[in-house]
Amino acid sequence: MKSLLKIGLAAAGVMTLAACAYNETLGRNQLLFVSQSQMAQLASSAWTDLKKQEPITNDPKYVNRVNRVAPKIIRAAGGNPAEWEVQVFKSDQINAFALPGGKIGIYTGILDLMANDAQIAAVMGHEVAHVNFNHSGERYSQTAAAQTALSAGSAIAGGSQTGAAAMQALGLGAQVGVLLPFSRKHELEADKFGVRYMARAGYDPNEAVKFWEKMAAQKNGAPPEFLSTHPSDATRIAQLKREIALLRSGS
């Protein structure tokens, strides 16, 4: 098992050294095999397909709210609203997302939970931060590195039961030990910078805390944080409160 881990990690390590760059704003290295423009190309077809598959609403009850908020958040994040596309999807899903290339999708289900424009700004700020920091590109790169490690280990393991068990353990290690924690890191980074964007746009950042508290109340039995792609609600809310305190102090 130790030899499999060494081989897999060595293969992933070569890729990592070739594509690791320091992001001064985030204060950490990012593993990026793909640029934002490359991710935008990948996302473009997905966005087109999604608009064909999901019903879009033009109901002013939803669209007017979103159109008030989106340009302010995009500008606060350093972008040009004219280069972004925002769609409201008619669905009970409590969800929103942003794609590379300036695409924002938000569902009527989550809008129904939002008490005011500031809560919309909290979620939009979060999603725009994901795009700004190319989190999807980093996730793509992490997955590619993990798959390289697994493939290298698999070639040595062969088809024996011992090898299969070892590969299962290595797969679990890659999933729990590398990919999921980075996903949680992305979420917390998006929260941190999203609340900065909303404050810069003139919205009360305390509404972000209120919204995530409301979201927490919607859940029934979330998985343990170490097995989740998202931080626990308690972790997320605590960080938001710390960030808001820093904003108030001018730090």
Side-chain angles (χ1 to χ4, degrees):
M1 180 63 184
K2 288 183 180 179
S3 63
L4 292 178
L5 286 169
K6 287 179 180 178
I7 291 166
L9 291 174
V14 172
M15 296 173 67
T16 299
L17 288 173
C20 209
Y22 185 75
N23 186 307
E24 188 172 347
T25 304
L26 295 177
R28 67 173 178 84
N29 288 322
Q30 282 191 290
L31 177 64
L32 291 169
F33 302 143
V34 289
S35 67
Q36 287 185 321
S37 61
Q38 288 171 319
M39 288 305 299
Q41 291 176 355
L42 290 172
S44 178
S45 60
W47 177 251
T48 300
D49 291 343
L50 186 65
K51 289 192 294 181
K52 292 177 182 177
Q53 296 165 5
E54 297 278 351
I56 293 171
T57 181
N58 293 312
D59 187 341
K61 171 185 174 183
Y62 299 107
V63 175
N64 289 351
R65 296 176 71 195
V66 168
N67 287 343
R68 279 197 305 268
V69 175
K72 295 179 182 178
I73 290 297
I74 292 167
R75 279 192 290 267
N80 179 358
E83 297 175 354
W84 285 70
E85 181 182 355
V86 184
Q87 288 287 355
V88 181
F89 295 101
K90 186 177 181 181
S91 170
D92 291 335
Q93 285 189 57
I94 301 176
N95 199 13
F97 63 90
L99 296 178
K103 316 294 185 186
I104 297 175
I106 189 163
Y107 291 83
T108 54
I110 198 169
L111 286 166
D112 285 335
L113 289 178
M114 294 168 166
N116 49 50
D117 284 3
Q119 293 185 3
I120 298 176
V123 172
M124 282 198 171
H126 173 100
E127 299 302 339
V128 170
H130 276 313
V131 173
N132 275 2
F133 295 111
N134 198 12
H135 281 159
S136 60
E138 190 174 12
R139 177 73 170 170
Y140 180 97
S141 302
Q142 291 158 5
T143 302
Q147 287 174 343
T148 296
L150 290 173
S151 297
S154 182
I156 301 298
S160 69
Q161 290 184 344
T162 302
M167 285 310 301
Q168 185 176 12
L170 182 57
L172 181 62
Q175 178 76 348
V176 176
V178 179
L179 298 184
L180 294 181
F182 265 99
S183 184
R184 291 195 294 273
K185 182 186 289 291
H186 291 166
E187 291 299 317
L188 290 173
E189 286 175 347
D191 282 349
K192 175 180 179 178
F193 287 94
V195 81
R196 292 185 185 185
Y197 297 158
M198 69 179 294
R200 198 178 299 160
Y203 296 103
D204 179 5
N206 290 297
E207 291 297 327
V209 174
K210 292 179 182 177
F211 177 74
W212 288 115
E213 287 175 341
K214 187 184 299 184
M215 286 287 285
Q218 298 289 316
K219 297 179 181 177
N220 293 315
E225 183 173 357
F226 76 95
L227 285 177
S228 172
T229 58
H230 287 63
S232 71
D233 295 311
T235 298
R236 165 169 270 162
I237 290 167
Q239 181 190 261
L240 284 170
K241 288 179 177 178
R242 287 194 299 271
E243 186 62 27
I244 291 167
L246 289 173
L247 288 172
R248 286 176 174 170
S249 68
S251 299

